[in-house]
Amino acid sequence: MALRCRTLALGVAASGLAVRPRGPASCETTQQEVATTQPADGPADLQQAALLLMLRSGDVHELFLGSSSSGCSSSGGDAELGPRLASGVGSSPAFDPASGCLLFTAHHGTAVGRLDGSGRVSRLAGCEESGMRDGGVGAAAFLCIACLAADGRGGVWVADGGRIRRVDTCTGAVTTLTGAEAVAGWWWSVAYDAAAGELLAATGTAVCRVRGLRAAEGGGEGGGGGGGGVVEVLAGSWTEQGSADGSGGAARFRNVTALLPVAGGRLLIADGPDLRCLDAGGSGAVTTLLRGCFPERGARQLALLPSGELAAVPVLGRPSTAGHGGPSSSPAASRPDAFIMIITVQGFAPRRGPSTDRLLGLLAAPVEGPDGGEMDSGGRSSTATATTAAASAGVSGAVAVRVGGHAFTAHRSVLAAGSDYFARLLAPGGSFADSGAAEVALPDADPAAFAHLLSYMYGTSMRLPCTPAELLDVAPELLRPAAALAGRLLMGGAVSALTERLAAAATPATVLSDLLWADAYGMTELAGRLRAVALARPNKGLELGCLLGQGVERCPEQATALMEGLLQGAR
């Protein structure tokens, strides 16, 4: 596994980085409001931000990690801060997909705060005084919060001293998971693995799995402890420090400061200056991936970027080399904390759904016969195969959908429920129902894109516990064809999910191409978001000059809208 680490200077000290989907958030809760802060450039900027950088000063900015390869950027660097979006926030952010809010550690570790999409900062739980009390809003107290981990199911898990606690993101109620105390030392990091439904926690020298979470999830506002937690040591030791790879108890850690679950049941670990990996879902082996990539004191947070790269925020304060027998080997050790590290490697990004090849193999019949027609593995034409499959499944209401060189067999009810296009086509009295045919064709559509959309239809019809984005975990190269086909099939939910991905993936090098494509396919909402991305960049004047020069002939309407936005921003 080849890894490459680069350091991006920010000019300001960061306290955390949050990756959140674009689009407005909703978080109707009953938390005690502490302060209302109007973002410097309006709530819309905050709602559309994909990467939110929290600064030591308490301000929040959008972070741009793009490329200047378009020739339109004057920055010459890969990291840029956008305008201030909010202020008065703390550190250690965690985005909660259930509420759409950004949660963070407040009041120097004695409270949990939240930042909603409108820019309002409020207190979710805790108070200004240190303590260890469960209860509802205004009653609970925290000793010293080290880390937060949202589970996406209405809870945020808190590493608080030697205990693990849960905050209900709707009510603000705090419950302590008894039985999950650290045997030695404090819990310094927690992470929730949504794919496995597991909570992981680490002291400085031991990485553990925490079981029995339902006990805390059922805790009420009145407090009284959740009970039922069980701690299983996956690797390392409660008391012995070191730096050794190996399985289970044979591994040793120097100073674990951050955890991040990634694809394949793996757990990335910031251990002092080193990046290490635990095979939590398999052998339990610990492997050092990259030595000296972090400052000596380690990384306070690891975050997976939409690009699949790994971002690391260093521990606050100038890195120390005390106790290590001389200067650090870390390339960042002599620098202040006004930077982040980006580590590039294939395979970090999680794939929540099956691959395109897997979906095509499951849902469609291939292939090409001697007469140029499509053939299945038995030598029959795919038209015949699809028709036969649909006819033989007539009792269950099956229909064949021919897309390119593939024939998909699906339930009429699923197609009608997942697509307004199919609902009209298959409605009683409609042209398709009247014809009595067992097959419908989608000319010029992409089979791979349709495979993902059909999987999405089945997932939503069965009400799988996944977000639309998780059900449509398509590869980047399929985003455009899948979004275009979803629009054609009138699949509103799929269009929204894919629009989020397309907007989040826009860079200075691609925004013009993305904008022209969105305009060509009538995706008004996406075009508006892409214009906002272009207008929000700090060096937008020079960049938009390049964009307008290239786009005015190809798409005068979008060029006019960009110019109007640029002029309004200059007023």
Side-chain angles (χ1 to χ4, degrees):
M1 180 182 289
L3 294 92
R4 181 173 61 88
C5 180
R6 68 184 191 274
T7 299
L8 302 182
L10 299 174
V12 287
S15 62
L17 177 67
V19 181
R20 61 178 293 173
R22 295 181 185 270
S26 60
C27 188
E28 299 297 328
T29 59
T30 58
Q31 297 93 340
Q32 176 183 356
E33 184 175 330
V34 177
T36 300
T37 305
Q38 292 298 327
D41 292 271
D45 290 336
L46 180 59
Q47 292 168 3
Q48 295 203 18
L51 300 179
L52 295 177
L53 186 71
M54 304 175 74
L55 304 183
R56 196 171 184 178
S57 64
D59 292 342
V60 177
H61 293 254
E62 181 166 11
L63 178 65
F64 296 99
L65 298 175
S67 170
S68 57
S69 60
S70 65
C72 295
S73 174
S74 62
S75 67
D78 291 331
E80 299 176 8
L81 291 185
R84 178 175 60 86
L85 302 178
S87 60
V89 300
S91 60
S92 303
F95 178 73
D96 176 32
S99 64
C101 298
L102 187 68
L103 308 177
F104 56 88
T105 300
H107 295 296
H108 303 288
T110 62
V112 177
R114 76 172 180 115
L115 172 66
D116 65 19
S118 67
R120 186 180 65 175
V121 178
S122 60
R123 184 186 302 162
L124 172 63
C127 57
E128 297 183 13
E129 298 178 357
S130 178
M132 187 67 73
R133 297 190 305 272
D134 287 357
V137 176
F142 294 95
L143 180 64
C144 183
I145 299 174
C147 186
L148 305 175
D151 60 18
R153 301 186 302 170
V156 57
W157 297 93
V158 181
D160 185 23
R163 302 203 175 178
I164 293 176
R165 311 176 73 186
R166 181 184 184 272
V167 181
D168 189 301
T169 57
C170 291
T171 66
V174 179
T175 308
T176 299
L177 183 63
T178 59
E181 296 82 8
V183 173
W186 282 14
W187 296 117
W188 291 112
S189 184
V190 288
Y192 188 80
D193 186 349
E198 295 179 340
L199 182 68
L200 302 158
T203 64
T205 59
V207 177
C208 306
R209 179 185 289 122
V210 182
R211 301 186 183 275
L213 304 185
R214 292 190 179 276
E217 292 174 351
E221 286 195 23
V230 177
V231 175
E232 173 192 358
V233 178
L234 297 178
S237 164
W238 289 113
T239 57
E240 294 185 18
Q241 188 180 36
S243 182
D245 291 347
S247 297
R252 289 292 180 268
F253 297 102
R254 181 178 183 178
N255 181 28
V256 177
T257 54
L259 304 174
L260 179 66
V262 292
R266 295 170 294 171
L267 180 67
L268 297 182
I269 304 169
D271 181 27
D274 303 332
L275 175 65
R276 308 179 72 184
C277 180
L278 167 64
D279 183 7
S283 66
V286 174
T287 305
T288 300
L289 299 180
L290 197 59
R291 294 192 181 276
C293 56
F294 305 135
E296 196 66 43
R297 294 177 61 184
R300 65 181 294 129
Q301 184 189 5
L302 301 175
L304 194 63
L305 302 176
S307 64
E309 294 178 306
L310 179 70
V313 179
V315 173
L316 292 179
R318 187 176 293 275
S320 171
T321 60
H324 297 291
S328 169
S329 59
S330 168
S334 60
R335 301 172 183 148
D337 54 16
F339 63 91
I340 60 173
M341 289 77 71
I342 304 294
I343 298 174
T344 303
V345 65
Q346 296 296 320
F348 278 171
R351 294 205 57 86
R352 300 177 179 89
S355 67
T356 300
D357 290 342
R358 175 65 172 159
L359 285 176
L360 287 172
L362 288 172
L363 301 175
V367 244
E368 206 170 319
D371 60 351
E374 298 297 320
M375 302 289 292
D376 69 3
S377 58
R380 296 167 294 176
S381 73
S382 65
T383 302
T385 300
T387 304
T388 301
S392 65
V395 175
S396 59
V399 62
V401 182
R402 187 183 180 101
V403 186
H406 294 77
F408 298 81
T409 302
H411 294 83
R412 289 173 181 259
S413 58
V414 172
L415 293 172
S419 160
D420 286 347
Y421 170 85
F422 282 121
R424 298 171 188 176
L425 194 64
L426 303 177
S431 60
F432 182 77
D434 286 344
S435 70
E439 179 183 335
V440 61
L442 292 177
D444 305 321
D446 187 318
F450 183 75
H452 283 280
L453 293 178
L454 183 57
S455 175
Y456 171 83
M457 291 187 221
Y458 272 98
T460 53
S461 69
M462 293 186 290
R463 298 183 180 181
L464 296 180
C466 302
T467 65
E470 291 171 334
L471 290 173
L472 277 172
D473 187 27
V474 303
E477 63 272 14
L478 279 178
L479 285 174
R480 285 188 181 184
L485 184 56
R488 177 179 166 186
L489 297 180
L490 304 178
M491 299 173 62
V495 170
S496 296
L498 292 166
T499 294
E500 299 283 354
R501 289 273 310 276
L502 284 164
T507 70
T510 66
V511 67
L512 175 61
S513 174
D514 293 338
L515 185 55
L516 295 176
W517 178 86
D519 183 81
Y521 281 89
M523 295 190 171
T524 306
E525 181 183 356
L526 176 59
R529 292 191 181 190
L530 292 171
R531 287 196 303 271
V533 170
L535 291 167
R537 292 190 59 78
N539 298 300
K540 59 189 176 187
L542 178 60
E543 292 175 356
L544 287 180
C546 295
L547 296 181
L548 291 171
Q550 299 174 49
V552 67
E553 295 183 0
R554 298 170 60 185
C555 188
E557 296 84 359
Q558 294 299 338
T560 301
L562 280 172
M563 180 60 74
E564 291 176 350
L566 182 60
L567 293 175
Q568 290 175 0
R571 291 173 185 171

